[in-house]
Amino acid sequence: MTTDLEAVERIAIRELLSAVAGDLGASMRPEWERAAWGVPRSVYVPDRIYLGDELEACDRADDPKAWLRAVYANDSVVSQVNDGQDPGDGERWASSSASAPSIVFRMLHMADVGEGHRVLEIGTGTGWNAGLLSYVAGPENVTTIEVDPTLAARAKDRLWKEGLRAEVVVGDGSMGHADSAPYDRLVGTCSVRSISRSWLEQVRPGGVILTPWDSPWFCYGLLRMTVDDTGRAEGRFSPHSAFMLMRNQRTALRIFRDVVREDHLPDESTTALSPWDVAGDDVDAQFALGLQLRDVWRTWHEDPDVDGVKTRLWVATTDATSWAAVDWDGTSDDRFTVWQHGPRRLWDEVQAAYAWWTWHSRPGPERFGLTVTATGETRWLDTPEHRVPVTG
């Protein structure tokens, strides 16, 4: 007999597929729609998830309807906090999640995975994405790698119970998994700041690398690259996604703990460039600055308890040797106070990067690309010959 929750789940899957198709702007491919039904998300998302800005726990046993609504919403679901450690009464931060279904299926379409393709997935997480890949490519063709042993074990248990016996490996995703190479497709489910040479070596000529992108300035963009017969990979960005960063590429920096010191004597100047122009709501600007300012990050400070300062934008290098602060007094819209310290004039670099972007007609992510060889990376605009200037 069908239970109420089973009926609710069927309705939720239909509504989710409709929402995904709306986001894609087209109907889902039949093989992926079949996979969505054959690999239910509810099987893979853990019984405890974390919701809202405060990451409040929601347990399946305590509130099954709320849990099911969250699982089948077209949104990401935080499945682990604090790398699996109990935060107690301390701060909770998301360390693993099930990505929003719309971006999951967008990436599966972009990767163009088909039956018989050998696929390496970087970042197993809950195992749902590996299940979808296994359903279409065949589980014997799918290898998925996860740095967290607990997450890997749980995902393997779910996959194998469902008869999708993909190879689940515990390890550093940036190194790939050479034992099962070569691959036709490599799909990342965590953001990266650079492309591993191991990935290039393990994807066959003509194969595709698809991964979310991140810079210390701004986490945004999907990168789709094709590997050629010389071991070079080249491709373009697209304006989608925001994924958690690969664990071995994290930078857990804080301004007052790691960067600014009481004995620092910064230089004072003014600027007409609004901090909101470079770190506000314009994702195109932020993406372009992130490509140029390779090792620069930023954070906002509201009401910093400084006379005459309403809002401050902090900018710093990831090695914590240089920083800048841009102050808004709460009234002026065309003049801001700048403080800079260290061997690099970071606000000068930000202004130069923004000027370059505006000079080139404010391009969005889809006009940028990346070429990776055994010796390095080149970021470019429109064509590989038109290099993006990079600092750091």
Side-chain angles (χ1 to χ4, degrees):
M1 180 179 294
T2 301
T3 67
D4 288 344
L5 280 178
E6 288 173 340
V8 169
E9 182 166 12
R10 287 201 305 270
I11 294 170
I13 293 174
R14 283 197 296 268
E15 291 177 347
L16 177 58
L17 292 177
S18 177
V20 169
D23 277 0
L24 293 175
S27 298
M28 289 176 59
R29 293 177 189 170
E31 65 270 29
W32 294 117
E33 185 165 349
R34 289 193 295 270
W37 286 100
V39 187
R41 199 179 189 217
S42 60
V43 171
Y44 295 87
V45 174
D47 290 342
R48 168 169 287 188
I49 56 179
Y50 302 87
L51 305 178
D53 293 339
E54 302 301 319
L55 296 178
E56 295 183 4
C58 174
D59 289 298
R60 187 176 196 170
D62 295 338
D63 196 341
K65 289 186 177 179
W67 182 90
L68 196 65
R69 282 196 302 271
V71 167
Y72 283 108
N74 189 18
D75 201 356
S76 60
V77 175
V78 174
S79 53
Q80 185 197 67
V81 296
N82 300 65
D83 287 340
Q85 302 300 310
D86 184 1
D89 295 329
E91 178 186 5
R92 288 180 177 175
W93 46 273
S95 54
S96 186
S97 68
S99 302
S102 57
I103 194 62
V104 168
F105 286 106
R106 182 180 295 279
M107 291 183 65
L108 293 172
H109 280 71
M110 289 176 65
D112 196 24
V113 176
E115 184 179 357
H117 276 155
R118 294 190 60 77
V119 183
L120 175 62
E121 179 194 36
I122 308 298
T124 311
T126 65
W128 185 53
N129 198 65
L132 295 169
L133 288 166
S134 298
Y135 194 91
V136 170
E140 69 279 6
N141 295 313
V142 175
T143 300
T144 179
I145 185 166
E146 171 59 53
V147 70
D148 187 311
T150 301
L151 293 180
R154 290 173 180 170
K156 181 177 180 178
D157 183 61
R158 297 178 191 117
L159 286 162
W160 284 40
K161 281 182 178 178
E162 292 298 301
L164 299 172
R165 299 173 72 88
E167 183 179 14
V168 180
V169 178
V170 177
D172 179 356
S174 68
M175 301 303 295
H177 186 63
D179 290 352
S180 299
Y183 303 99
D184 300 289
R185 301 289 185 270
L186 186 151
V187 180
T189 64
C190 53
S191 294
V192 298
R193 292 177 176 172
S194 62
I195 300 299
S196 164
R197 305 304 180 270
S198 297
W199 291 7
L200 270 64
E201 295 167 359
Q202 294 172 25
V203 175
R204 67 166 181 80
V208 171
I209 295 173
L210 177 67
T211 183
W213 187 255
D214 180 276
S215 70
W217 192 269
F218 190 51
C219 180
Y220 188 67
L222 288 175
L223 175 63
R224 188 185 193 276
M225 315 179 77
T226 302
V227 179
D228 67 17
D229 57 7
T230 69
R232 182 184 71 167
E234 189 168 88
R236 291 182 176 273
F237 295 94
S238 64
H240 305 289
S241 90
F243 282 68
M244 292 181 186
L245 185 63
M246 182 176 283
R247 289 192 186 184
N248 69 358
Q249 296 187 11
R250 289 176 181 169
T251 50
L253 294 172
R254 296 187 180 182
I255 286 292
F256 295 112
R257 184 191 67 190
D258 305 309
V259 181
V260 177
R261 299 287 182 262
E262 289 186 2
D263 61 348
H264 286 176
L265 299 174
D267 298 325
E268 181 181 0
S269 60
T270 60
T271 182
L273 177 61
S274 167
W276 286 277
D277 285 344
V278 298
D281 295 329
D282 191 331
V283 296
D284 291 350
Q286 292 204 75
F287 180 82
L289 265 66
L291 283 184
Q292 296 177 73
L293 306 170
R294 181 164 46 190
D295 64 342
V296 180
W297 60 286
R298 49 71 171 185
T299 187
W300 289 97
H301 193 174
E302 299 291 340
D303 296 318
D305 195 25
V306 177
D307 288 344
V309 180
K310 178 66 175 175
T311 302
R312 172 172 285 173
L313 174 66
W314 288 101
V315 179
T317 53
T318 54
D319 66 2
T321 60
S322 298
W323 60 265
V326 185
D327 291 342
W328 177 57
D329 61 12
T331 59
S332 175
D333 293 327
D334 59 2
R335 191 59 53 184
F336 306 88
T337 302
V338 178
W339 307 92
Q340 300 191 85
H341 176 80
R344 290 168 59 181
R345 306 287 84 179
L346 286 190
W347 188 248
D348 296 351
E349 292 184 16
V350 170
Q351 291 186 112
Y354 185 79
W356 182 92
W357 176 69
T358 57
W359 175 257
H360 289 88
S361 304
R362 301 171 177 258
E366 66 281 357
R367 286 183 57 192
F368 290 97
L370 187 74
T371 301
V372 184
T373 67
T375 58
E377 296 181 355
T378 302
R379 302 162 189 216
W380 43 267
L381 175 68
D382 295 329
T383 66
E385 294 73 30
H386 188 187
R387 295 189 174 194
V388 172
V390 176
T391 66

